[in-house]
C-alpha cells in the first residue's frame, strides 16, 4: 500500500490538490520529486560579505531599534540590527508589521536573504528570520523545488524531509555489483542527497545515480519485451519482381537493402517492428509498396496509414497507378467515406477481397476489421501517437509493422524511445538528383526572386509559394495566402495557379493537387498543408515567406517538396527584418546543408528533444532525472548494463536481480 502525501503534517485538502498538480500523491512521489536548484547556505555570510554579485547573507543578528516610515502601503516597520561583526543593517518589513512583536529589542535571530547597500547603509526587505541556526537552514544546502499554486518551499522541504524519514530505510534499487561497476551511490544516500545534499558533489552523484537507474530500468523493460528471432534470407516473389521491372528507374542500393531486411523480418515467425528512416525524397514509399507485395503474395492484407487525408489520397492514387496493373485490389478509407460506400468497403476488408487499404487514422475506427491483416505501414510515423499506432496493429494478429519517417532520430533517442525498433536507413538519394539550391532572400531582393521563378515557369516547371496564414485578420503584418494569391496573379499574368489551405474541403484539395500533378496548374499558393509528403516531380521552386517563423524540421520538409526529379531546383527563404539569433541560426543551417540528419542534429541542439519525440515522450517516457540531450553517455551505459543483465539472467531469476523484477512490475503497473 502506498503511503499518501496527506500523511505529512500540514498537508490538507487544498495542499493535496496543489501537490497533485505537480504529480505528487504519495510519499514516494515526493521522494522522487527533483529539486530544480539548490540554495547553498553552508557558508555563514555576514552582512559585510553581501555584494552586487552575491547579495546573500546568512548569519546571526541582534535587534537594536524599531522605527517606522511611511510607504505606499501605509506605515512600514523598520528594524535596525547588527551582526556579530557589529555591521548594521535595516530590515524593511513591508506588510509584516507583526514582526514588531517577535523581533524584540535585544533579541537574537538567524537571518537569511538578499541584502542591498543603499547610500552606505545595508538594507534587506526579502528575508527569512528564524530562532535557530537549524531552522534557518544555515550550514545546509537546501532544495529549491518547482512550485504550483500557493505551495511554499518551506512546505515542500518539510514534505521531503518527512518522506525521507517515513520511508527509511530506503532499499537499494539495483543489484549490488552494479553500484560498484557503474560508480553509483546507494539509493538511500541518493534520495537523501538529491533533496538535502551534504555537498554539491554529493548532489551530482545522487542525480547521476537516479538518472542512471531510471534509464537502466527503461532499457531493461524495453529490451526484455523485444522479441528475438532467427533471420533467414528471403527472396522477392514474382509480384515484387514484376513491379521492379516495370519501373522507369532502378532502385537504389539502400532501397534494395531495406526491402531485404523487411522481407527477412516478415518471413521470420516474430512480428516485425521496424523503422524506415530516410530523408525527404529518398523513396520510402516505393519500399513500402514493394514489401506490401511480399505480404500480399502470402495471402495477407496490408494497411497503409498516412497522417492527413490529402497524403492518404495521394498514396492511394500512387498505389492504384503502380499496383492495380499487377492485380492488387486497393481500397481507400478516411473519416469522410460514409454510408453505402463505407459499408461495402468494410465488407471487402472483412471478407478479404481488398488486398491493400490506404487511409488515415480512420483505419483503426472500431467498425473496421480485417480478414487477415498481416502488414501495417505507417507513413510519417512521428505524426501519430503511440496509441494510434498500437490500435491499428491490434487489428491484425501478430502483424508486421513498418514505421516510416523522414525525421531522423538522434542516437540518444534511438537508444531509448526507439530501443524496441529495428532500423533500416535510406542514406542515398535516387540517381540523378541535384541538391536543392537554397537562397536567403530579404525584402531588397524580392523582385529578383520573382524573376527567377518566372524563368522556371517559362521552362514549363512548377512552383509552390508558402505563407504562414490563410487570410489577413488585420492584426499582423504577416503575408497571407489569400492576399498573395491575388498579388501573384498580377505578377505572373497568364500563368495558371490555385490556392490551397487547410480550410478547403479535402475533395477540393485533392482536385487541386491532381490538377497540379497533371500540370494544369503551374503554381500553388499554399499554407504549410503541403508540408508533408506531397510528391510532384516537376515542381522545381519553393518560395517560403516569413521563413523565420518555421522550425527547422518544417523548413526541411517544405524544401523537400522540390528536388524530387533530375531537374535543378531552388528554395527561396524570405525573411523579415528583425530576426532573433535563433531564427538566424536556423536559416543559416538551411542554407548550409540539405542533409536531413545534420538538420535534425542542429534542431536538437537549438530546440532540445521535446518535439522530436512527439507523444512517445508523454505516452511512454516519464523521465524525472535523466536528460536525453545531455546524458548520452549515461544512456549508453544503461543500455549496456541492461543487455548484460538480460544475457546473464533473462528471466531475472537470480537473487541479486530480484530488485529488478520488482522494479519492472511497479513500472508496468504505473503505466497501465
Ligand atoms: P519520401 O521518402 O520523401 O516519402 P517518396 O517515396 O515520395 O519519398 O519518393 C520521392 C520520389 O522519388 C517519388 O516521385 C518516387 O517515385 C521517386 N523515386 C523513388 N525511388 C526512386 C529511384 N530509385 N529512382 C528514381 N526515383 C525514385
Ligand atoms: Mg513520403
Amino acid at each position: 500500500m502506498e503511503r499518501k502525501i496527506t500523511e505529512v503534517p500540514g498537508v490538507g485538502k487544498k495542499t493535496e490538490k496543489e501537490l497533485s498538480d505537480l504529480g505528487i500523491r504519495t510519499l514516494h512521489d515526493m521522494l522522487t520529486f527533483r529539486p530544480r536548484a539548490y540554495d547553498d547556505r553552508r557558508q555563514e555570510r555576514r552582512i559585510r560579505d553581501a555584494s552586487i554579485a552575491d547579495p546573500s547573507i546568512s548569519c546571526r543578528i541582534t535587534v537594536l531599534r524599531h522605527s517606522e516610515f511611511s510607504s505606499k502601503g501605509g506605515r512600514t516597520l523598520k528594524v535596525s540590527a547588527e551582526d556579530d561583526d557589529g555591521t548594521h543593517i535595516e530590515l524593511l518589513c513591508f506588510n509584516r508589521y507583526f514582526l514588531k512583536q517577535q523581533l524584540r529589542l535585544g533579541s537574537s535571530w538567524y537571518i537569511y536573504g538578499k541584502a542591498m547597500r543603499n547610500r552606505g547603509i545595508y538594507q534587506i526587505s526579502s528575508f527569512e528570520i528564524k530562532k535557530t541556526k537549524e531552522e534557518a537552514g544555515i550550514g545546509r544546502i537546501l532544495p529549491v523545488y518547482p512550485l504550483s499554486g500557493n505551495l511554499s518551499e518551506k512546505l515542500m522541504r518539510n514534505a521531503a524531509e518527512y518522506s525521507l524519514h517515513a520511508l527509511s530505510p530506503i532499499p537499494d534499487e539495483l543489484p549490488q555489483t552494479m553500484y560498484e561497476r557503474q560508480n553509483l551511490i546507494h539509493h538511500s544516500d541518493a534520495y537523501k542527497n538529491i533533496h538535502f545534499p551534504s555537498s554539491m558533489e554529493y548532489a551530482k552523484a545522487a542525480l547521476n545515480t537516479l538518472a542512471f537507474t531510471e534509464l537502466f530500468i527503461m532499457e531493461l523493460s524495453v529490451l526484455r519485451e523485444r522479441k528475438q528471432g532467427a533471420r533467414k534470407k528471403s527472396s522477392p516473389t514474382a509480384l515484387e519482381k514484376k513491379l521492379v521491372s516495370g519501373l522507369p528507374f532502378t532502385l537504389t542500393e539502400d532501397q534494395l537493402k531495406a526491402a531485404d531486411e523487411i522481407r527477412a523480418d516478415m518471413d521470420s515467425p516474430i512480428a516485425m517492428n521496424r523503422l524506415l528512416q530516410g530523408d525527404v525524397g529518398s523513396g520510402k514509399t516505393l519500399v513500402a509498396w514493394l514489401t506490401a507485395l511480399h505480404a500480399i503474395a502470402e495471402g495477407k492484407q496490408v494497411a497503409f496509414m498516412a497522417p492527413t487525408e490529402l497524403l492518404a489520397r495521394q498514396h492511394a492514387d500512387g498505389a492504384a497507378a503502380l499496383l492495380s496493373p499487377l492485380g492488387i485490389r486497393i481500397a481507400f478509407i478516411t473519416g469522410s467515406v460514409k454510408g453505402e460506400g463505407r459499408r461495402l468497403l468494410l465488407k471487402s476488408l472483412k471478407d478479404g477481397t481488398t488486398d491493400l487499404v490506404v487511409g488515415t487514422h480512420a483505419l483503426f475506427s472500431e467498425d473496421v476489421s480485417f480478414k487477415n491483416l498481416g502488414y501495417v505501414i505507417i507513413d510519417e510515423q512521428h505524426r501519430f501517437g503511440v496509441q494510434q499506432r498500437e490500435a491499428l496493429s491490434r487489428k491484425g494478429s501478430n502483424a508486421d509493422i513498418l514505421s516510416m519517417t523522414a525525421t531522423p532520430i538522434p542516437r540518444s533517442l534511438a537508444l531509448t524511445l526507439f530501443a524496441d525498433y529495428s532500423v533500416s536507413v535510406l542514406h542515398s538519394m535516387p540517381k540523378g538528383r541535384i541538391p536543392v539550391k537554397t537562397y536567403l532572400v530579404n525584402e531588397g531582393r524580392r523582385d529578383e526572386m520573382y524573376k527567377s521563378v518566372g524563368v522556371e515557369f517559362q521552362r514549363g516547371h512548377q512552383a509552390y509559394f508558402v505563407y504562414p496564414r490563410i487570410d489577413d485578420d488585420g492584426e499582423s503584418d504577416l503575408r497571407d495566402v489569400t492576399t498573395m494569391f491575388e498579388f501573384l496573379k498580377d505578377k505572373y499574368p497568364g500563368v495558371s495557379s490555385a490556392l490551397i489551405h487547410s480550410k478547403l474541403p479535402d475533395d477540393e484539395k485533392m482536385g487541386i493537387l491532381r490538377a497540379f500533378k497533371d500540370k494544369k496548374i503551374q503554381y500553388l499558393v499554399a499554407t504549410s498543408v503541403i508540408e508533408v509528403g506531397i510528391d510532384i516531380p516537376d515542381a522545381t521552386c519553393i518560395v517560403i515567406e516569413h521563413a523565420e517563423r518555421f522550425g527547422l524540421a518544417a523548413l526541411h520538409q517544405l524544401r523537400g517538396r522540390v528536388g524530387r526529379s533530375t531537374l535543378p531546383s531552388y528554395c527561396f527563404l524570405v525573411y523579415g527584418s528583425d530576426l532573433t539569433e535563433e531564427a538566424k541560426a536556423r536559416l543559416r543551417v538551411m542554407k548550409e546543408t540539405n542533409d536531413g540528419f545534420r538538420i535534425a542534429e542542429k534542431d536538437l541542439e537549438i530546440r532540445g528533444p521535446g518535439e522530436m519525440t512527439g507523444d512517445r515522450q508523454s505516452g511512454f517516457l516519464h523521465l524525472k532525472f535523466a536528460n536525453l540531450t545531455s546524458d548520452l553517455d549515461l544512456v549508453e551505459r544503461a543500455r549496456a548494463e541492461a543487455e548484460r543483465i538480460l544475457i546473464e539472467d533473462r528471466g531475472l531469476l537470480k537473487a541479486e536481480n530480484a530488485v529488478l523484477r520488482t522494479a519492472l512490475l511497479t513500472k508496468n503497473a504505473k503505466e497501465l
Side-chain angles (χ1 to χ4, degrees):
M1 211 18 226
E2 290 221 84
R3 292 169 67 173
K4 295 225 169 68
I5 193 72
T6 43
E7 216 186 274
V8 179
V11 174
K13 270 267 160 296
K14 217 172 125 235
T15 314
E16 182 187 2
K17 165 85 184 49
E18 286 169 343
L19 286 170
S20 150
D21 289 344
L22 293 173
I24 304 169
R25 287 172 199 94
T26 64
L27 297 185
H28 188 263
D29 292 338
M30 188 66 226
L31 201 62
T32 57
F33 190 71
R34 180 182 169 184
R36 65 172 171 81
Y38 295 98
D39 190 348
D40 188 349
R41 299 185 186 181
R42 274 172 306 171
Q43 296 286 343
E44 182 181 30
R45 286 178 56 91
R46 302 267 169 106
I47 296 165
R48 247 188 295 177
D49 297 330
S51 66
I52 293 181
D54 183 359
S56 62
I57 59 167
S58 51
C59 60
R60 190 168 72 151
I61 53 164
T62 306
V63 178
L64 301 175
R65 211 169 25 253
H66 289 171
S67 58
E68 284 173 12
F69 62 97
S70 51
S71 62
K72 266 188 207 141
R75 288 181 315 153
T76 295
L77 173 69
K78 178 158 87 187
V79 176
S80 304
E82 64 179 5
D83 65 10
D84 293 352
D85 293 338
T87 314
H88 282 232
I89 189 163
E90 293 177 352
L91 282 54
L92 311 179
C93 310
F94 293 102
N95 300 320
R96 294 205 269 180
Y97 209 89
F98 57 87
L99 285 176
K100 189 166 184 173
Q101 311 301 322
Q102 237 179 323
L103 303 179
R104 293 227 189 82
L105 298 187
S107 63
S108 285
W109 299 86
Y110 285 87
I111 188 164
Y112 180 87
K114 292 186 167 51
M116 266 191 3
R117 205 166 171 171
N118 196 357
R119 289 194 217 109
I121 301 168
Y122 286 100
Q123 291 186 322
I124 191 163
S125 56
S126 105
F127 56 88
E128 288 170 28
I129 192 120
K130 294 281 154 61
K131 200 64 216 169
T132 66
K133 208 169 170 167
E134 290 68 43
E135 277 180 283
I138 293 171
R140 301 176 73 185
I141 301 173
L142 292 179
V144 182
Y145 298 96
L147 299 176
S148 85
N150 290 318
L151 293 175
S152 67
E153 292 295 346
K154 185 173 160 206
L155 181 127
M156 298 293 284
R157 287 171 189 158
N158 209 0
E161 194 122 47
Y162 182 95
S163 306
L164 274 166
H165 280 132
L167 297 178
S168 73
I170 294 168
D172 282 332
E173 295 179 10
L174 295 172
Q176 288 311 309
T177 51
M178 210 181 287
Y179 287 94
E180 219 165 285
R181 217 165 38 232
Q182 293 295 336
N183 206 3
L184 306 172
I185 60 176
H186 285 275
H187 277 78
S188 58
D189 273 344
Y191 286 118
K192 208 156 117 218
N193 281 283
I194 197 81
H195 293 287
F196 302 102
S198 44
S199 70
M200 290 314 285
E201 289 69 42
Y202 249 104
K204 232 168 140 183
L207 180 61
N208 187 57
T209 294
L210 296 174
F212 177 87
T213 309
E214 180 173 51
L215 290 168
F216 169 73
I217 296 295
M218 180 177 73
E219 293 287 354
L220 193 65
S221 89
V222 170
L223 293 179
R224 207 164 168 235
E225 292 294 309
R226 185 149 123 179
K227 304 180 181 106
Q228 304 167 311
R231 286 272 184 73
K232 62 176 191 319
K233 186 131 173 75
S234 307
S235 357
T237 56
L239 264 178
E240 290 160 79
K241 288 187 188 146
K242 214 160 154 190
L243 173 68
V244 173
S245 63
L247 290 172
F249 47 72
T250 54
L251 295 182
T252 65
E253 285 296 312
D254 287 343
Q255 282 174 317
L256 288 170
K257 181 158 172 266
D260 280 345
E261 288 166 348
I262 294 165
R263 244 184 244 119
D265 277 1
M266 284 181 158
D267 291 348
S268 95
I270 289 149
M272 170 173 82
N273 191 23
R274 185 171 282 276
L275 190 67
L276 176 60
Q277 250 179 271
D279 211 341
V280 283
S282 60
K284 296 183 288 293
T285 319
L286 198 57
V287 175
W289 297 146
L290 192 61
T291 49
L293 290 178
H294 197 72
I296 293 168
E298 291 186 350
K300 292 176 185 158
Q301 288 174 296
V302 179
F304 184 111
M305 179 163 76
T308 64
E309 180 140 357
L310 202 58
L311 208 51
R313 281 178 195 250
Q314 174 187 278
H315 283 312
D317 280 2
L322 220 49
L323 306 179
S324 299
L326 303 175
I328 307 304
R329 297 159 300 181
I330 301 168
F332 173 65
I333 185 170
T334 68
S336 56
V337 178
K338 295 216 168 75
E340 181 63 5
R342 187 178 181 89
R343 202 187 58 79
L344 286 174
L345 185 116
L346 294 180
K347 188 167 162 288
S348 78
L349 293 177
K350 199 162 180 175
D351 66 20
T353 44
T354 286
D355 302 311
L356 167 68
V357 59
V358 180
T360 57
H361 58 278
L363 276 170
F364 56 77
S365 312
E366 233 167 84
D367 57 350
V368 179
S369 59
F370 293 84
K371 181 169 182 222
N372 181 23
L373 178 62
Y375 185 25
V376 171
I377 303 164
I378 300 166
D379 194 23
E380 309 290 345
Q381 68 87 27
H382 57 285
R383 298 263 164 154
F384 292 99
V386 207
Q387 292 84 352
Q388 291 174 309
R389 286 177 293 206
E390 281 169 1
L392 180 55
S393 62
R394 269 201 300 274
K395 300 233 176 235
S397 67
N398 219 25
D400 291 313
I401 305 177
L402 181 70
S403 303
M404 307 201 287
T405 183
T407 308
I409 292 154
R411 185 161 165 75
S412 62
L413 302 186
L415 284 176
T416 51
L417 296 174
F418 294 91
D420 50 341
Y421 283 74
S422 12
V423 180
S424 294
V425 186
L426 306 184
H427 290 289
S428 53
M429 286 288 170
K431 259 214 206 76
R433 291 278 170 84
I434 304 170
V436 180
K437 258 192 107 115
T438 300
Y439 299 92
L440 305 185
V441 179
N442 57 22
E443 275 313 312
R445 297 183 55 200
R446 178 179 286 280
D447 279 330
E448 216 180 305
M449 171 184 80
Y450 286 133
K451 258 188 221 135
S452 310
V453 179
V455 172
E456 284 296 293
F457 288 150
Q458 279 162 23
R459 292 180 177 144
H461 300 158
Q462 295 167 286
Y464 300 93
F465 288 85
V466 181
Y467 303 92
R469 304 177 70 88
I470 296 181
D471 44 35
D472 185 5
D473 60 4
E475 273 173 38
S476 84
D477 47 9
L478 291 184
R479 285 164 194 270
D480 62 87
V481 278
T482 318
T483 315
M484 290 309 286
F485 180 56
E486 295 305 324
F487 173 85
L488 290 169
K489 265 191 192 157
D490 285 344
K491 201 94 208 157
Y492 302 113
V495 183
S496 57
S497 63
L499 181 61
I500 184 167
H501 55 70
S502 59
K503 284 192 187 157
L504 294 182
D506 283 305
D507 281 338
E508 206 169 311
K509 275 190 263 185
M510 201 54 213
I512 292 171
L513 276 188
R514 282 192 186 131
F516 194 48
K517 192 155 205 158
D518 296 342
K519 303 191 91 169
K520 287 181 197 135
I521 293 172
Q522 236 180 323
Y523 68 90
L524 290 183
V525 183
T527 57
S528 55
V529 286
I530 59 142
E531 178 190 317
V532 167
I534 302 297
D535 181 37
I536 310 284
D538 274 353
T540 59
C541 285
I542 185 162
V543 173
I544 305 168
E545 295 239 15
H546 302 290
E548 71 275 9
R549 300 181 62 94
F550 293 91
L552 266 180
L555 286 174
H556 184 59
Q557 275 283 354
L558 282 168
R559 182 169 62 184
R561 294 317 106 216
V562 299
R564 301 175 80 84
S565 68
T566 51
L567 299 169
S569 309
Y570 311 94
C571 169
F572 300 94
L573 302 176
V574 188
Y575 60 91
S577 48
D578 36 67
L579 287 186
T580 63
E581 282 308 312
E582 193 193 307
K584 269 185 216 157
R586 262 184 278 139
L587 295 182
R588 267 199 302 273
V589 172
M590 288 301 292
K591 186 164 169 61
E592 274 162 24
T593 182
N594 277 302
D595 178 347
F597 284 80
R598 287 257 348 257
I599 291 176
E601 271 166 27
K602 289 281 173 190
D603 203 19
L604 186 68
E605 264 171 44
I606 299 176
R607 258 189 334 156
E611 282 256 323
M612 315 198 66
T613 58
D615 67 353
R616 261 222 136 188
Q617 178 105 29
S618 52
F620 172 80
L621 247 199
H622 305 278
L623 290 178
K624 290 180 166 178
F625 301 105
N627 176 333
L628 290 181
T629 325
S630 53
D631 293 342
L632 179 58
D633 165 61
L634 216 51
V635 172
E636 287 181 332
R637 275 165 49 199
R639 164 86 163 207
E641 277 291 351
E643 280 171 351
R644 172 192 183 128
I645 295 277
L646 288 177
I647 288 171
E648 286 174 2
D649 180 18
R650 190 165 177 86
L652 303 176
L653 299 172
K654 285 189 188 166
E656 81 152 2
N657 292 336
V659 282
L660 300 179
R661 218 167 32 222
T662 320
L664 290 185
L665 285 176
T666 324
K667 182 172 152 66
N668 290 340
K670 281 218 166 109
E671 275 162 20
L672 282 181

